[in-house]
Amino acid sequence: MTEPRAQPVDQRPVDQRPADEQAAAEDGLPAGLAAAIDAYARHLRSERGLSPHSVRAYTSDVTSLLDHAARMSRRELAQL
């Protein structure tokens, strides 16, 4: 099985990111998990063309999952 490609970390200040990305960064998730949510939100917006409401709904669900995973000491996507 191949390793997933690492996504570049968004260097923009949190307050200059779209609202869905701000939420992930502000939720206190480990940097790797927050970066994964940011990449997912960008994918949903740019490649799938979803509305801001849909992006927010999808990223909210994933943020909840990753928050739970982080509380269970799963701080890397590969640990899920």
Side-chain angles (χ1 to χ4, degrees), residues 2-23:
T2 62
E3 290 292 319
R5 291 184 297 163
Q7 296 293 324
V9 176
D10 193 338
Q11 299 297 321
R12 293 175 292 171
V14 170
D15 63 347
Q16 292 180 3
R17 297 179 191 180
D20 51 329
E21 292 181 25
Q22 288 180 29

Side-chain angles (χ1 to χ4, degrees), residues 18-53:
D20 51 329
E21 292 181 25
Q22 288 180 29
E26 293 169 355
D27 277 337
L29 291 173
L33 297 180
I37 292 172
D38 291 349
Y40 181 56
R42 283 190 303 275
H43 163 76
L44 294 173
R45 274 193 313 278
S46 64
E47 295 180 32
R48 301 226 8 234
L50 298 181
S51 74
H53 295 288

Side-chain angles (χ1 to χ4, degrees), residues 28-30 33 63-75:
L29 291 173
L33 297 180
T63 299
S64 295
L65 169 68
L66 295 181
D67 178 58
H68 176 71
R71 285 185 277 119
M72 298 289 117
S73 300
R74 306 297 191 264
R75 300 191 178 279

